[in-house]
Amino acid sequence: MIVDRVDEQGLTARLDRLAGLLSDTVESGASVGFLAPLGHAQAVAWWRGRVAEVAAGRLAVWVAREGERVTGTVSLALPDKPNSRHRAELVKLMVARETRGRGLGRGLLATAEEAAAAAGITLLHLDTETGSPAEHLYRSAGWTRAGTIPDYAADPGGELRPTTLYFKRVGALADAG
């Protein structure tokens, strides 16, 4: 398994495979912002919309692959306001169904955390569907629960679900305890 940070050209070259991963993630019931069924063209268009963000340095994307097959991804959304440059939001951690349970999600999470710390980011935050397998992953990886918001977003089936907010200190702040 290889995990690489991709630039805008790398993202563009993998649009079709990333769209397949996104569609697979939604089809499996993960709440990542889309309703099922998610068509391939819609998934490609969503990823294509991220290319400018990557080019502008507002989004960092890592892609896991076996050969040319995309098996997972994670991103960090980087704020552009002066008072928030110390933090980033972890977004769109996705692992292909057939590769789940092998530690890839935890590996992608660690990759993003380490890269954030290396870039001088000291605080990460995210939201995830309350009670989801992803929530268990974040808790077991040392993320701290900040609270829950009811009826936050619709799951892929259209049912409103709560979301739980998490944060994690990384880098110098994490080392200071």
Side-chain angles (χ1 to χ4, degrees):
M1 183 81 51
I2 297 170
V3 178
D4 293 312
R5 182 170 174 180
V6 295
D7 60 12
E8 61 271 21
Q9 288 85 17
L11 188 59
T12 300
R14 293 172 179 83
L15 283 175
D16 192 59
R17 290 171 290 215
L18 285 163
L21 173 66
L22 177 56
S23 295
D24 175 70
T25 302
V26 172
E27 185 178 307
S28 72
S31 183
V32 290
F34 299 90
L35 299 175
L38 178 65
H40 189 74
Q42 184 182 1
V44 168
W46 184 83
W47 276 109
R48 187 175 288 118
R50 310 290 73 80
V51 172
E53 294 177 47
V54 169
R58 292 187 304 267
L59 185 69
V61 178
W62 290 266
V63 175
R65 59 186 173 81
E66 291 177 353
E68 291 303 308
R69 190 168 156 266
V70 170
T71 56
T73 187
V74 66
S75 299
L76 288 176
L78 306 164
D80 59 355
K81 295 175 188 72
N83 73 339
S84 59
R85 292 195 176 134
H86 67 288
R87 70 176 189 241
E89 182 180 8
L90 189 109
V91 294
K92 301 295 185 267
L93 174 59
M94 296 182 272
V95 175
R97 277 187 277 191
E98 65 275 3
T99 59
R100 291 181 188 159
R102 299 188 212 165
L104 178 55
R106 185 171 302 280
L108 286 165
L109 185 57
T111 295
E113 291 172 2
E114 291 164 12
I121 292 168
T122 56
L123 181 66
L124 295 174
H125 63 96
L126 62 85
D127 72 88
T128 191
E129 183 181 325
T130 305
S132 68
E135 185 177 20
H136 173 74
L137 169 65
Y138 299 129
R139 241 193 244 128
S140 69
W143 286 68
T144 301
R145 182 182 177 278
T148 300
I149 303 171
D151 299 332
Y152 185 77
D155 66 13
E159 182 181 339
L160 288 179
R161 303 278 299 146
T163 195
T164 302
L165 307 173
Y166 284 88
F167 69 91
K168 187 172 188 180
R169 295 187 184 279
V170 296
L173 284 181
D175 296 339

